[in-house]
Amino acid sequence: SKFFRLNGKCRKSLSDSWMNILANVIPAVCIILAESIPHLTNERQIDTLSQERFLCYRRKTMWMQGSITRICILKRGDKKLMDIIQVITQELKVEKWQVEAAVKLIDEGNTIPFISRYRKEATGSLNDEQLRTLFERLTYLRNLEDKKNQVLKSIEDQGKLTEELKKQILDAQTLVVVEDLYRPYRPKRRTRATIAKEKGLEPLADIILLQMTDKPVEEEARAYVSEEKGVKNVAEALNGAKDIIAERISDEADYRIYIRNLTTKNGSISSTAKNAETQSVYEMYYEFEEPVRKLAGHRILALNRGEKEKFITVKVNAPEEDILRYLNKRVIKKDNPNTTPILKAVVEDSYKRLIGPAIEREIRSDLTDKAEDGAIHVFGKNLEQLLMQSYLDGTLRSVQAVSWQL
């Protein structure tokens, strides 16, 4: 440790060759010692090797500063944090030590403008836009890890966690996928399916799903009619079983992921006027339709405003025939004349009543988030152009332009 402290007292008389040797050798030595010497693995002691004291010449310290920061981050032993750092490094296409340094500064409570302006040496001159993107992704990925832990604990407490399900949750890359996987195990409010289960109709639903009965389903349902349980007749028993099957189909994560992707790829968004005779700035959206994947951000925001102001009604048009064909293929495994007609009706009910509305909300929410981010980006570019205008006739046109905008 005395050797490292001596470097803070380096004299300017040291030759450039010696400085180059120090700049390239000492960081490697630091890493080796940090792994092998217990008293150097304390982050506070490593932090005493401050960037200003480590080298006399600031211009030659960038790589070394990255190495020092890297030691501090690595010694936390947080594998999840390192996974997140690796993901962000690949997304931003920068060096890993730059991301590590930025994360450390953010965790210490420094703001993005402060890091961008006054900690360029530590982060390798990451600009404001890169740092903001890094911060947003860091927050999202940490929330994703927290959500995964909550979901795993909840399912494990229920005694339903399998190795396959655990792997699917851990491999999930978005919060939406985690929510889809958790849906069958989430504590539910009282739904039609929940009430049917309370009436003891789940075994009847299992019989229909197995598709192996050689009796008419109505005959199977007679065994579940019970005045005591509130099942008055065969029709009520069948409707309860259908509700249970519909909710099971809705809770399948694979079905939801496929339907969401298919709707985003082949679906469209349309709008119609609530009163076609009313004049407004939204008249171009009174009869409007455009594919989801091609819809521009400013149109999404305009549709949202028109709907909020009650001039138009907005709807996501999904490729229903393709979706129902897919669901029927996945649910109906056998050609049983006793169960196939019922299952086809259940599949349609499950999609139109449960899956479809939820997917529509998710797609519109995702489109709105992207449109708002795009609008902020465009505004920032326009403001930058105004502020960077040159002098003209002795007057700073950029200041005038900004004043007029305000």
Side-chain angles (χ1 to χ4, degrees), residues 386 389-401 403-404:
L386 289 173
Q389 285 184 11
S390 60
Y391 285 91
L392 184 63
D393 298 332
T395 305
L396 188 59
R397 292 292 300 276
S398 61
V399 175
Q400 290 182 349
S403 299
W404 294 335

Side-chain angles (χ1 to χ4, degrees), residues 3 25 28 42 66 97 99 127 200 223 250-251 281 320 341 344 356 363 376:
F3 173 75
V25 173
N42 184 297
W97 68 265
V99 177
N127 60 40
S250 170
D251 286 344
V281 295
E320 283 192 12
K344 284 185 176 180
I363 289 175
I376 293 170

